[in-house]
Amino acid sequence: MAQVKGKKAGFGAVLWDYLTTVDHKKIAIIYLVAGGFFFALGGIEAMLIRAQLAVPNNDFLSAGLFNEVITMHGTTMIFLAAMPLLFAFMNAVVPLQIGARDVAFPFLNSLGVWLFVFGGIFLNLSWFLGGAPDAGWTSYASLSIASPGHGIDFYAVGLQIAGAGTLISGINFVTTIITMRAPGMTYMRMPLFTWTTLVAAILIVFAFPPLTIGVFLLMFDRMFGSNFFIVEAGGNTIIWEHLFWIFGHPEVYVLILPAFGIFSEIFSTFSRKRLFGYSAMVFATVLIGFFGFMVWAHHMFTVGLGPTANAIFALATMAIAVPTGIKIFNWIATIWGGSIEFTTPMLYALAFIPSFVMGGVTGIMQAAAPADYQYHDSYFIVAHFHYVIVGGVVFALLAGLHFYWPIITGTMLSEKLGKIEMVIFFIGFHCTFLIQHWLGLWGMPRRVFTYLDGQGYNTANMISSIGAALMAIAVIILLINIIKTLVKNEKVGTDPWGDGRTLEWSLPIPTPYYNFANTPLIRGIDALALEKEEGDGTIPAAGPVEAIHMPNNSFIPFMISFGLFVAGFGALYFASGKPWAIDAVANLPEKPWALYVLIAGLAITFISMGVRSWKDDLGYYIPKEELEADLRELEARERGAK
Amino acid sequence: MAEIRYDVPNEQWPVHPEKATLEGRNKFVGFWTFLAGETVLFASLFATYLALKDQVPSQEHLVAADLYHLELAFVMTMFLLTSSLTSVFAVYHMRNNNFGKMQLWLGITVLLGAGFLALEIYEFVEYVKLGHTFRSSAFGSAFYFLIGTHGFHVIVGLIWITLLIIRNANRGLSVYTAAKVNTASLYWHFIDVVWVFIFTIVYLLGVL
C-alpha cells in the first residue's frame, strides 16, 4: 500500500482546513456529516411519532409536543437531511463525472454549505428556546399565524438562511455543468447523475424564490405587523398555500431526480451494460422537471379552486406518470440480459423499482381530484409520500452512500453488513408504510396525536411502529458499518467496484486535490467503459500537463453564514413584545438587546462580504513539476500493485 | 485564471473582455442563472400584489386608483430607463477598452439611479401621510413589499456600481475588472426590466 504523503495533521489543523475549504470533495464530506446528523435527528423524531401512535390513547407525547415533533420531522428530513445528503453526492461526484477541477464557484460552494449548516442549527435550537414550530412542515398560514411563541419564527428564519444556501448551491451546479465540462463531454454524453443534477439545480433556481417570498410574508405578518394573511385587514391565507406548493412540488422533484440519477448509474454499473435508452432517459428527466412546475395545485384540490382548475392540475399530474414510466421501463431493460452483480447498492436499486412504483400508483390515484377528496388528510397520503420519498430518495441515499463511499473516503463499506442493513431496512420500510394505506382508507386522519381504542386502528398502528423500529435497527447497522470501516481504514485503489463506467471511477483513490492532472478527453458515453472496451482502460489526455490554477481557502463563507445566524436571533427576538407583532408574539416579554444582536450579526456578514470584495483573491498555481511528480508516483504505485 | 494585465493595448483587447477567461464565463452564466431565480422572485411578488390589490379593511382606506399618479411614475420610469441606456454606454466603452469613458457613464448611471430612488422615497412619504402604510391594510403590505423589494434592489445596485467605480479608479481595465462591470450592468438592466412590469401592472392598471 502506498504511503500517504505528508505528516498526520493535528485535529486543529484538520478542523481549520474543513472550516475554510473550497474543495468540492471536502465540502461533500461536510454535507455528508451535517446531513447525516440531521437525518439522525429526523429519524429520532420519526421514532417518537411511531412510539406515540403504537397504542391507542397513548400519552407518551402530549398533543402540543406531537405537533412540534411532526413539524420538525418533516422540515428536518426534507430541508436538512435529504437535500444536503444529495448535495453531498453531487459535490463528491459531479465535478469528477464531467472532468472538472472544481465547481464553477468554489467560494460560493463553501458559502452554500455553511448557510445550510447554520440554518439547520438555528431551526433546531428552537427546541431549547421556547418550543419548536408546530404548524406542520407546510406551515399553512391560517395555522402558523396563530401559533403562540417563537416556534414558527424559528422555522421562518431558519429556512430563510438554509434556503439561501440551497439557492446558491443550485446556481453553482447549473453553472458548473454548463461551463466546466471537459473537452468531448457533450451534453448528450453526460452521465445520468450529472443530467439529473443539472435539472434538479435548475428546479432549485426556479422553485426556491417563491418559498423565500412566502416565508418573508409569514415573517412580516408575525413579526413586523403586515397584513398579508390577516383576513380582517384584507389578507388571504391561500396565497401562502400557492407560494408554498409552487416551491413544494418542484422540491420533491429536486429530491427524486438526483435519486433517479444515482440509480441509473448503479443499474448500469452492476448490470455491466450501457444504460438502456439514454436519450429517452435524458428527455424524461427534463420533462419531469418541466411538468414539476405545473402541478402544484394538486396539493390544494380540497381548497375549492373550482372544477376547471382542479381538472387542469389533475391532468398535468397524471401526465407526469408518462416520463416516470419511461424511466422505470428503461431501468428494467438495462438490467435485462445484463451480467448482474448483487452488491448492496444494486440490491437497493432493485428494491427501489417496485417500492417506487407503488408510491407512483397511489400518486395517480390521488391525481384524480374527486377521489382525492376521500384520501385528503388521511394516512393514505402519509403512506403515499413516504413510499416515494423513502422508497425513492432514502433508498437512493443509502445506495449512493455504499456506492460512492470509496470515492468519498478511499475505503469500502462492508458488503456483508451492508446487505443485512438493506434487507432489514427494506422489510421495515414496507412494514411501516404499506399498512398505512389501509389505515387511511379506514378513516384515520393524519397529524392526529392519538386515536381511540376500538376503532380498528390498533393492530395496524402497532405493525407500522414495529416497522419503524426495524428501519432504525438498519440505520444503526449502517452506523456500525461506517465506524468499523473508518477504524479499519483499509484503502482501496482505482475503480474499487471493478465495473466503473463513468469518468469518476478512472481517478486514483484518494483523488488528488486538483482532481485531474491532465484535462481528460471524452470520446463517448460511459467514458471509462468505452476506454476499457476499445482502448487501454485509461482516459486519454486532452493536452500536455500544464500548471493548474486553484482557488485559495477562505474563512469568509463561514463568517458570512455565522453573521446571518446571529442576525437571525436579533430579528426573531426583536419582535417580542412589540405592539405591531401578531398577538402570539406581542404577548412575549420585550427583549431590548435584540436590536443590537441584529445589528451585530448583519455587521459581521457585511464586513465579511466587504473584505471579500475589497481583497482580490486570485488563487494560486500548482506548478507543472509537482503534477508530473505526482503522475510518476502514481504510475510507480500502479506497477507495484500489479 | 488568465494573467491579469491592465493597460492592455487596443489591438490585444478581446472583443468580449468580460468572457475572455473561464472565471468571466462562469460569472456570466452564473449571473444569468441568478437572474432567472430573481425573475421568479418578482413573479411571486407580482402575484401576491395582484391577489391583494385594493384589499382593504374598510371604506376609509385609500385604494390604488386614489393613490397613484401616472405623472410621477412616468418621470421615475424615464430616470430608470435612461440609466439603463447609460449603463449600455459604459459597457460599450468597456468593450472598446476606454476606461475613462466607462467610468464616466457608470457615474451618470448612478446619478440617474439615485434620482429614481429619491422620487420613490418622496412617493412613499406622501402615501404614508395619506394613511397608506405597510401596516394599514393587506393592499398596503403587498404594495410596499413589491415596490420596496425593487427599491432595495436599486439601492444594492447603486452601492455595487459606486464601489466598482471607486475600486477600479486606480487600477483600470483588465479582463478581471471587465467581468465585474459587465455583471453589475446585467443586474442594472434586470432592475430596469422589473420596473417596466411594475409601471404596467401596478401603476397603469392601478389608475385604470
Side-chain angles (χ1 to χ4, degrees):
Chain A
M1 220 172 64
Q3 288 296 308
V4 182
K5 248 201 302 194
K7 284 188 282 287
K8 209 171 159 63
F11 175 73
V14 173
L15 183 69
W16 180 249
D17 187 31
Y18 275 91
L19 291 179
T20 59
T21 189
V22 291
D23 181 347
H24 69 97
K25 299 182 284 297
K26 286 180 178 160
I27 287 174
I29 293 174
I30 303 174
Y31 268 120
L32 195 64
V33 172
F37 170 74
F38 288 122
F39 182 74
L41 276 188
I44 291 168
E45 282 149 8
M47 290 307 116
L48 294 176
I49 296 171
R50 283 320 315 171
Q52 164 66 19
L53 291 173
V55 289
N57 285 319
N58 201 357
D59 58 358
F60 173 64
L61 300 178
S62 69
L65 187 57
F66 184 84
N67 285 346
E68 294 175 23
V69 172
I70 57 164
T71 302
M72 287 302 281
H73 167 68
T75 311
T76 304
M77 282 303 198
I78 297 279
F79 290 100
L80 309 178
M83 232 176 359
L85 287 171
L86 287 170
F87 270 129
F89 296 129
M90 292 177 187
N91 267 296
V93 178
V94 167
L96 305 183
Q97 276 194 334
I98 60 173
R101 259 49 183 270
D102 206 325
V103 291
F105 307 109
F107 180 90
L108 289 187
N109 204 11
S110 164
L111 182 60
V113 73
W114 291 117
L115 282 172
F116 142 65
V117 169
F118 278 112
I121 295 172
F122 189 91
L123 190 53
N124 275 284
L125 281 177
S126 62
W127 286 115
F128 309 104
L129 299 170
D134 57 357
W137 88 282
T138 56
S139 204
Y140 274 17
S142 23
L143 271 178
S144 55
I145 281 296
S147 169
H150 275 308
I152 299 294
D153 307 329
F154 273 104
Y155 170 93
V157 178
L159 282 195
Q160 213 66 300
I161 297 173
T166 308
L167 182 64
I168 287 172
S169 307
I171 293 172
N172 203 348
F173 274 103
V174 173
T175 313
T176 303
I177 295 171
I178 290 178
T179 62
M180 306 282 281
R181 285 167 292 126
M185 180 59 84
T186 58
Y187 283 109
M188 290 311 276
R189 285 178 184 172
M190 293 195 313
L192 240 277
F193 184 53
T194 298
W195 255 113
T196 52
T197 298
L198 175 62
V199 176
I202 292 172
L203 291 190
I204 288 175
V205 171
F206 287 114
F208 266 72
L211 177 74
T212 307
I213 293 300
V215 172
F216 265 130
L217 303 184
L218 187 61
M219 281 164 79
F220 288 160
D221 265 16
R222 283 184 58 92
M223 292 144 78
F224 300 106
S226 61
N227 296 307
F228 296 104
F229 305 131
I230 314 289
V231 179
E232 309 88 271
N236 186 345
T237 58
I238 305 299
I239 294 174
W240 167 270
E241 295 187 28
H242 279 293
L243 288 176
F244 185 86
W245 286 118
I246 289 171
F247 147 78
H249 199 83
E251 167 66 13
V252 300
Y253 293 111
V254 169
L255 297 178
I256 200 65
L257 286 176
F260 286 171
I262 291 173
F263 282 132
S264 301
E265 306 286 332
I266 290 172
F267 278 126
S268 152
T269 304
F270 295 116
S271 304
R272 299 193 179 100
K273 268 177 71 187
R274 248 184 80 161
L275 189 70
F276 185 90
Y278 171 85
S279 28
M281 287 298 251
V282 171
F283 184 64
T285 305
V286 176
L287 207 59
I288 292 175
F290 180 70
F291 276 136
F293 281 97
M294 309 220 184
V295 297
W296 79 87
H298 69 212
H299 298 270
M300 300 166 62
F301 280 154
T302 60
V303 163
L305 301 177
T308 314
N310 278 5
I312 291 169
F313 281 100
L315 278 176
T317 305
M318 291 177 193
I320 290 193
V322 177
T324 315
I326 291 174
K327 282 182 167 283
I328 300 279
F329 284 117
N330 278 338
W331 285 319
I332 294 172
T334 305
I335 314 166
W336 188 275
S339 154
I340 302 170
E341 202 180 345
F342 290 101
T343 58
T344 310
M346 187 62 170
L347 288 177
Y348 271 116
L350 293 171
F352 150 79
I353 291 185
S355 309
F356 189 80
V357 167
M358 288 165 76
V361 169
T362 52
I364 296 297
M365 290 168 72
Q366 291 155 35
D372 184 63
Y373 275 71
Q374 298 300 314
Y375 310 133
H376 189 81
D377 223 0
S378 78
Y379 258 83
F380 193 82
I381 305 292
V382 179
H384 158 73
F385 68 68
H386 281 95
Y387 257 83
V388 283
I389 296 289
V390 182
V393 181
V394 178
F395 276 23
L397 291 173
L398 294 170
L401 188 71
H402 286 271
F403 188 51
Y404 291 123
W405 187 261
I407 286 189
I408 298 173
T409 67
T411 58
M412 197 85 162
L413 287 171
S414 154
E415 274 291 282
K416 197 173 137 202
L417 281 177
K419 284 174 187 165
I420 296 172
E421 162 215 320
M422 182 271 152
V423 171
I424 297 179
F425 194 87
F426 179 73
I427 296 170
F429 160 67
H430 283 281
C431 184
T432 309
F433 296 112
L434 187 63
I435 194 74
Q436 290 185 359
H437 292 107
W438 280 276
L439 264 179
L441 296 178
W442 293 334
M444 180 158 163
R446 60 190 283 212
R447 299 187 177 119
V448 289
F449 89 107
T450 192
Y451 49 92
L452 293 175
D453 200 2
Q455 291 184 314
Y457 301 154
N458 299 10
T459 321
N461 270 301
M462 184 47 99
I463 292 171
S464 187
S465 295
I466 291 170
L470 284 177
M471 282 196 280
I473 292 170
V475 173
I476 291 168
I477 293 173
L478 172 65
L479 273 180
I480 294 170
N481 194 352
I482 289 174
I483 293 166
K484 271 179 78 174
T485 309
L486 289 179
V487 169
K488 229 197 272 168
N489 200 18
E490 219 168 84
K491 296 289 180 196
V492 291
T494 308
D495 196 7
W497 293 103
D499 295 308
R501 304 182 65 81
T502 39
L503 201 54
E504 74 270 29
W505 302 109
S506 72
L507 284 164
I509 290 177
T511 312
Y513 62 103
Y514 46 79
N515 296 354
F516 297 89
N518 250 323
T519 306
L521 180 71
I522 313 308
R523 299 200 299 158
I525 298 177
D526 288 357
L528 183 59
L530 184 84
E531 299 302 338
K532 280 177 180 170
E533 284 156 19
E534 294 177 5
D536 60 353
T538 55
I539 304 286
V545 177
E546 276 171 8
I548 298 174
H549 178 256
M550 297 291 286
N552 286 322
N553 281 5
S554 173
F555 191 52
I556 295 174
F558 186 91
M559 288 309 286
I560 293 177
S561 315
F562 176 71
L564 285 179
F565 175 73
V566 173
F569 284 105
L572 190 141
Y573 285 114
F574 178 68
S576 294
K578 292 287 191 296
W580 61 73
I582 208 83
D583 291 346
V585 179
N587 292 335
L588 299 167
E590 203 167 343
K591 303 274 197 311
W593 44 264
L595 182 63
Y596 305 105
V597 174
L598 176 62
I599 293 170
L602 289 178
I604 296 173
T605 297
F606 283 114
I607 290 172
S608 308
M609 288 166 76
V611 172
R612 167 72 181 170
S613 46
W614 214 253
K615 261 180 61 189
D616 285 320
D617 186 355
L618 301 177
Y620 65 98
Y621 280 92
I622 308 171
K624 197 174 151 189
E625 292 71 34
E626 189 190 326
L627 295 171
E628 281 167 343
D630 280 4
L631 280 175
R632 275 195 301 276
E633 195 195 333
L634 196 68
E635 214 171 300
R637 201 199 319 173
E638 258 163 33
R639 264 204 306 277
K642 275 170 197 159
Chain B
M1 180 177 292
E3 202 187 335
I4 297 167
R5 283 174 56 211
Y6 294 92
D7 301 322
V8 184
N10 277 333
E11 58 274 16
Q12 288 171 26
W13 186 243
V15 183
H16 284 287
E18 72 278 8
K19 284 186 277 186
T21 61
L22 177 62
E23 279 72 17
R25 283 193 294 279
N26 282 344
K27 220 171 227 182
F28 185 76
V29 175
F31 202 76
W32 269 107
T33 315
F34 168 73
L35 290 183
E38 286 266 88
T39 308
V40 188
L41 188 107
F42 276 102
S44 309
L45 284 171
F46 277 114
T48 307
Y49 171 81
L50 287 176
L52 296 178
K53 185 181 170 228
D54 294 348
Q55 297 294 316
V56 287
S58 66
Q59 295 283 316
E60 297 93 74
H61 285 81
L62 296 174
V63 292
D66 312 321
L67 287 164
Y68 301 154
H69 289 290
L70 276 188
E71 296 82 357
L72 182 65
F74 175 76
V75 176
M76 288 166 77
T77 308
M78 281 304 117
F79 267 96
L80 210 56
L81 285 186
T82 316
S83 80
S84 212
L85 179 69
T86 55
S87 82
V88 172
F89 289 155
V91 170
Y92 170 81
H93 289 300
M94 178 262 281
R95 290 198 180 134
N96 285 339
N97 200 12
N98 191 337
F99 178 67
K101 283 197 174 157
M102 181 191 86
Q103 292 282 82
L104 176 71
W105 284 110
L106 284 179
I108 295 172
T109 305
V110 170
L111 288 180
L112 287 167
F116 167 85
L117 198 66
L119 287 177
E120 184 153 86
I121 292 169
Y122 164 77
E123 185 196 10
F124 280 11
V125 170
E126 288 301 306
Y127 288 167
V128 169
K129 277 185 199 156
L130 294 170
H132 176 65
T133 70
F134 187 58
R135 290 177 186 147
S136 67
S137 64
F139 170 51
S141 303
F143 172 81
Y144 285 104
F145 191 28
L146 169 60
I147 312 290
T149 306
H150 177 264
F152 174 74
H153 277 73
V154 173
I155 295 174
V156 171
L158 289 179
I159 297 173
W160 185 356
I161 298 175
T162 310
L163 287 179
L164 274 182
I165 295 172
I166 300 170
R167 182 74 178 95
N168 292 339
N170 290 326
R171 55 184 182 183
L173 260 178
S174 69
V175 286
Y176 179 65
T177 50
K180 288 172 183 286
V181 171
N182 189 64
T183 314
S185 146
L186 274 178
Y187 180 78
W188 195 254
H189 285 310
F190 175 75
I191 295 172
D192 202 45
V193 171
V194 171
W195 179 260
V196 172
F197 282 90
I198 290 182
F199 180 78
T200 322
I201 292 172
V202 177
Y203 291 99
L204 213 51
L205 286 181
V207 294
L208 287 179

